[in-house]
Amino acid sequence: MRRISVDIGGTFTDCFLVWDDERIEAKALTTHHNLSEGFLAALAAGAQELGEDVETVLGGVESVRYATTLGTNALIQRSGPKLGLITTLGYEDTITLGRGLQYGDGLTDLEKSDLPGADRPEPLIDPEHIVGIRERVDHAGNVVVPADVEDIRSAVQHLVEQGVRGFVVVLLHSVMNPVHEDLVEQVVLEEYPGSYLGAFPIVCSHDVSLKKGEYARSMSAILDAYLHREMQHGLRSLERALRQRGYTRPMQIVHNSGGMSQLNRTHALQTIHAGPVAGLNAAEQVSDELRIDELITVDMGGTSFDIGLVTGGGIRFYEFDPIVDRWRVQIPMVSMVALGAGGGSIARYDSTHDSITVGPDSAGSDPGPVCFDMGGRQPTVTDANLVLGYLDPDYYHGGELALNRRRAEQAFASRLGKPLGIDAVEAAASVRRIVDNNMAQGIFKEVALKGYDPRRFTILAYGGNGPTHACGFAEDLGVQRVLVPRNSAIFSAVGAGNMDQLHIHERSVYLSLYEALTQKLFTDYEVLNAHIDELRERGRKDIVRQGHPPESVEFRVEFDMRYGDQLQLTSMVVPFDRFTSARQVLEMIKRYHASYGERFGEGTQTPETGIKVNQIRVVAYVPLEKVTFATGGGEGAVASGVAPAAPPAETAGADGTRPQGATALATRLEAKGTREAWFDGAMVETQVFDHAAIGPDDVVEGPAIVEAPHTTFVVNPGWQLRQLDSYFIEMRRTA
């Protein structure tokens, strides 16, 4: 196996290189002005560690997988083209009016509460660039008013005269019958053929989403068109750069649906937040291989803190109508929550409340934290960790990025300490407490709202800062166990390398598996099977177009189900290829009943209100070879999902001494040094260990610090760190 996986974050670009038996991790600072520079720098660092040049590596790998932030950057900078929208006459104001609560989409809870200052986001398409055409398709897909070609041509010409550089077509009920959207596309292509320099890109809403809901479907198509040019230019330029260096295969783009696809089968919207989803994909594999049914995944990088959930049964949590920037869209996106709590999150003095706030904005990689010595002036979480002694200024980023502790201390003293009347160390400790508490609250909210108790879960912590803060937010949550992968700093890139070729297609339906009024089960199997077959065929075609044989394609069917007309939807995996009997319908009802009761409490089920299916989703995928996690010494203990408990001889007596026969820590594992670090409200002399020196039988008792090239483990008092096998580190609460 030979492959390259790259994940671009707000501060660092991560590269995971698999070269036969070699597993190489490398990082480089993200270059926001040109993401391909950071991509190539991280790749060059990985090739250097392998002992090969970049051309040799690119010429020898089977694939390059890429989780990009090009689309996110284009939205932040509002750098998309001027677009025109063609819609049904009378519905020109749909995206302007939006939804009743649209003003709050993408805002924090505090911002939502500011009703006097509430405002809707600036539209991506100006109202004067929206035109309506005479046509109408009803809710069942019947053509009521046929579209007129001359009317369409007139609308297109009007938009061109207004200077638009692309078209978005969103017609009423086109998900039921796209005939009029297809006609508009045909007219545009006749007027401006693709072979002409003046050709215009065109996006039809039914090609992006087959779900009902005019506003969200409109915004899905608009965002896809808005990001298209920026992403096409960026990805094409990177592809050219790779080809110039010897790579000849198609580049694979990571999708936020939990899979990947070639560039020519990727919508721009599918790349938003793809990096964190890649990490969650790897976590699902960890859950499967190690047989741990309940995992909370936390990815703390330089810019954000991403929270995901893995539970048993192979069910993924999706956002049915996720919010991208300030708009609600209709793409199947794996559910993750992002908080502004990364290493680069900026700490400020709040004069109104005489307190400290942390985030959500980040210093990123340019200028970065104050200690980076690259022009940053505002203290960040990374600066706090340096001032508190958790980070070695000479070993950060494997020693390649020296940190300036003096400047970080000055920033805390002047910007936080002085107005609060405390010193720099106390200010840094306050920042750390706040950010740990913010993360714990974010995790609790995400897990509890899905109907689970976080105390039952194991935390899988990764990202460059995940192991540094894991004990802190785990204590606040009451979680007893944290797992950290060996290459946690690039774990999302590892996940990108382990993704399957995958496409998801879904459609809105209104089916009652159990009708409350008539007390009858669903029997129209032909209609249900037709929906499933249509979506399966779409997925099969997508994958076959990328060179995979039809027989290699596998499918997973999911229903989004609910009781009556409640808003809560639950995804259920369908165990049948086709529906042919009432027994199968009853089996789905039984599974849904059990899942709902487990999540929200037995007795909360309300089948007397009816049981409905609102969405059908078909996941088409080709399983690909993966890097496995459950390998090495101690594999059996990890695979069971229960780590070996500490031997009784390791437990200190009441007087603080170890029982006779116990092996003292110093004789088992030698610290590489000591330094002062903040624990239990004071700076104390703390042992520092080398991550590479820890073996399967070694135990590190907190307080302690364990250093790896690209991350640092902070082991709090009352916690114990041990290596379970060749890939995982466990931190378990013992006090």
Side-chain angles (χ1 to χ4, degrees):
M1 184 193 307
R2 292 184 175 185
R3 63 179 58 148
I4 297 167
S5 310
V6 175
D7 170 41
I8 292 188
T11 305
F12 283 99
T13 296
D14 304 334
C15 176
F16 181 57
L17 173 59
V18 178
W19 191 268
D20 299 329
D21 294 331
E22 296 287 336
R23 306 288 186 267
I24 306 296
E25 61 180 281
K27 298 174 79 75
L29 287 172
T30 296
T31 50
H32 291 285
H33 64 282
N34 186 349
L35 295 179
S36 63
E37 290 185 13
F39 181 110
L40 294 172
L43 177 57
Q48 182 179 3
E49 186 173 341
L50 185 64
E52 301 283 357
D53 56 46
V54 171
E55 288 74 14
T56 300
V57 171
L58 285 173
V61 295
E62 304 153 3
S63 65
V64 172
R65 290 112 183 271
Y66 182 31
T68 181
T69 57
L70 275 168
T72 305
N73 292 351
L75 281 177
I76 293 172
Q77 299 162 6
R78 294 295 190 265
S79 57
K82 183 186 292 187
L83 297 173
L85 173 63
I86 299 175
T87 189
T88 302
L89 187 67
Y91 289 81
E92 294 90 343
D93 294 325
T94 296
I95 64 170
T96 306
L97 295 174
R99 303 163 63 248
L101 294 176
Q102 183 199 355
Y103 80 91
D105 287 346
L107 298 182
T108 64
D109 290 338
L110 183 61
E111 290 170 327
K112 290 178 184 177
S113 66
D114 180 20
L115 293 179
D119 202 0
R120 299 180 188 277
E122 285 294 319
L124 297 179
I125 298 182
D126 294 333
E128 57 267 26
H129 298 148
I130 301 174
V131 296
I133 61 172
R134 293 186 298 274
E135 68 84 36
R136 192 61 182 265
V137 173
D138 68 13
H139 72 283
N142 303 308
V143 176
V144 178
V145 178
D148 179 68
V149 171
E150 290 306 316
D151 184 37
I152 296 172
R153 186 171 285 114
S154 175
V156 170
Q157 293 294 350
H158 170 76
L159 290 174
V160 171
E161 290 168 3
Q162 295 292 317
V164 304
R165 305 302 305 163
F167 295 101
V168 182
V169 186
V170 185
L171 302 179
L172 203 62
H173 301 306
S174 62
V175 296
M176 303 305 296
N177 184 353
V179 60
H180 287 168
E181 285 195 0
D182 290 338
L183 180 60
V184 174
E185 181 178 26
Q186 179 184 333
V187 171
V188 172
L189 293 176
E190 286 175 356
E191 292 292 310
Y192 303 97
S195 58
Y196 288 178
L197 293 176
F200 295 90
I202 178 170
V203 174
C204 295
S205 69
H206 73 274
D207 289 328
V208 180
S209 171
L210 285 175
K211 294 167 66 175
K212 289 191 173 183
E214 300 309 314
Y215 166 70
R217 181 162 55 88
S218 298
M219 289 313 308
S220 300
I222 290 168
L223 279 167
D224 199 69
Y226 188 80
L227 300 175
H228 181 88
R229 184 183 68 179
E230 190 85 7
M231 295 205 59
Q232 183 185 44
H233 290 171
L235 292 173
R236 288 298 183 194
S237 64
L238 174 59
E239 196 170 48
R240 283 194 298 271
L242 295 178
R243 293 199 183 284
Q244 290 168 2
R245 290 164 175 80
Y247 183 68
T248 59
R249 298 171 182 266
M251 187 165 60
Q252 303 286 341
I253 306 299
V254 175
H255 290 184
N256 50 29
S257 58
M260 65 174 186
S261 183
Q262 293 177 12
L263 182 58
N264 61 356
R265 300 304 303 170
T266 296
H267 286 297
L269 260 183
Q270 293 173 315
T271 68
I272 302 295
H273 307 318
V277 170
L280 185 59
N281 180 77
E284 290 175 341
Q285 185 183 340
V286 170
S287 172
D288 182 58
E289 291 185 3
L290 275 59
R291 298 197 288 279
I292 304 175
D293 282 342
E294 296 177 318
L295 276 179
I296 298 170
T297 70
V298 293
D299 179 1
M300 186 179 182
T303 303
S304 64
F305 181 75
D306 300 301
I307 306 165
L309 199 61
V310 179
T311 63
I315 300 171
R316 273 184 173 165
F317 292 99
Y318 290 94
E319 289 288 343
F320 303 109
D321 295 295
I323 295 170
V324 173
D325 198 285
R326 294 290 309 280
W327 295 279
R328 195 170 292 275
V329 297
Q330 286 182 334
I331 57 171
M333 184 184 296
V334 174
S335 177
M336 296 198 76
V337 172
L339 306 179
S345 294
I346 295 172
R348 291 186 176 88
Y349 172 66
D350 180 357
S351 58
T352 303
H353 301 94
D354 191 33
S355 62
I356 295 173
T357 61
V358 182
D361 52 334
S362 170
S365 61
D366 185 12
V370 175
C371 61
F372 278 19
D373 251 353
M374 294 170 60
R377 295 184 178 182
Q378 301 184 86
T380 67
V381 174
T382 294
D383 294 311
N385 287 329
L386 177 63
V387 171
L388 295 175
Y390 302 134
L391 302 180
D392 183 345
D394 299 320
Y395 192 60
Y396 188 76
H397 191 28
E400 296 179 18
L401 182 60
L403 303 182
N404 190 328
R405 178 168 180 164
R406 182 180 61 83
R407 284 204 62 205
E409 289 174 340
Q410 289 174 344
F412 276 105
S414 61
R415 292 182 177 266
L416 300 178
K418 185 176 180 179
L420 289 168
I422 56 179
D423 62 26
V425 174
E426 291 173 316
S430 297
V431 168
R432 173 147 177 131
R433 281 197 303 272
I434 291 168
V435 76
D436 283 353
N437 184 257
N438 289 348
M439 291 185 288
Q441 289 184 11
I443 293 171
F444 180 83
K445 182 178 179 181
E446 170 68 3
V447 177
L449 285 178
K450 285 185 166 64
Y452 297 100
D453 182 351
R455 293 170 298 182
R456 293 169 43 193
F457 282 69
T458 295
I459 289 177
L460 181 67
Y462 51 93
N465 291 294
T468 310
H469 288 262
C471 287
F473 56 73
E475 283 181 2
D476 289 346
L477 281 168
V479 173
Q480 304 296 312
R481 185 189 185 207
V482 176
L483 284 181
V484 180
R486 174 170 285 272
N487 46 18
S488 66
I490 62 157
F491 193 65
S492 290
V494 175
N498 275 358
M499 280 186 160
D500 293 326
Q501 201 83 34
L502 180 147
H503 283 271
I504 296 179
H505 293 280
E506 56 184 359
R507 174 181 283 283
S508 293
V509 296
Y510 298 101
L511 305 176
S512 290
L513 295 189
Y514 172 69
E515 181 58 56
L517 292 178
T518 61
Q519 298 185 352
K520 291 183 178 180
L521 294 176
F522 178 81
T523 58
D524 199 348
Y525 310 128
E526 186 175 339
V527 169
L528 177 56
N529 290 332
H531 287 314
I532 295 174
D533 290 344
E534 176 206 0
L535 298 176
R536 285 168 62 105
E537 187 58 26
R538 282 173 171 262
R540 179 185 289 107
K541 286 181 178 178
D542 276 338
I543 291 180
V544 169
R545 287 189 187 110
Q546 297 175 70
H548 294 279
E551 60 272 13
S552 69
V553 184
E554 298 184 16
F555 299 95
R556 183 174 73 250
V557 180
E558 298 176 2
F559 287 170
D560 293 342
M561 300 176 64
R562 69 181 184 182
Y563 285 116
D565 293 324
Q566 67 178 196
L567 297 178
Q568 177 66 43
L569 291 170
T570 301
S571 288
M572 299 298 301
V573 175
V574 178
F576 314 113
D577 291 332
R578 300 184 67 78
F579 281 81
T580 58
S581 68
R583 180 187 59 80
Q584 294 170 313
V585 175
L586 285 170
E587 178 63 24
M588 284 305 305
I589 291 174
K590 178 182 176 182
R591 288 171 179 245
Y592 175 58
H593 184 90
S595 175
Y596 194 94
E598 181 181 346
R599 291 178 61 186
F600 301 105
E602 196 61 40
T604 60
Q605 304 96 327
T606 56
E608 65 275 10
T609 62
I611 302 172
K612 298 180 180 180
V613 175
N614 273 49
Q615 317 278 356
I616 297 176
R617 181 181 305 109
V618 173
V619 182
Y621 61 99
V622 176
L624 302 176
E625 187 180 7
K626 296 176 175 60
V627 175
T628 59
F629 299 120
T631 57
E635 176 182 350
V638 181
S640 68
V642 179
E650 289 296 305
T651 305
D655 59 355
T657 61
R658 295 180 184 274
Q660 186 175 4
T663 305
L665 179 62
T667 61
R668 299 186 62 193
L669 182 64
E670 184 177 351
K672 72 175 187 178
T674 63
R675 63 171 176 264
E676 284 196 336
W678 182 271
F679 290 103
D680 289 338
M683 297 294 287
V684 298
E685 200 67 26
T686 304
Q687 288 187 308
V688 180
F689 297 88
D690 183 1
H691 177 249
I694 299 176
D697 296 325
D698 294 326
V699 176
V700 175
E701 301 279 357
I705 295 169
V706 178
E707 294 181 336
H710 298 302
T711 192
T712 299
F713 297 77
V714 175
V715 188
N716 282 3
W719 285 75
Q720 184 184 82
L721 179 147
R722 64 172 64 226
Q723 182 166 314
L724 298 183
D725 66 356
S726 62
Y727 196 79
F728 289 97
I729 292 284
E730 179 197 60
M731 292 190 287
R732 183 182 285 274
R733 196 171 186 179
T734 57

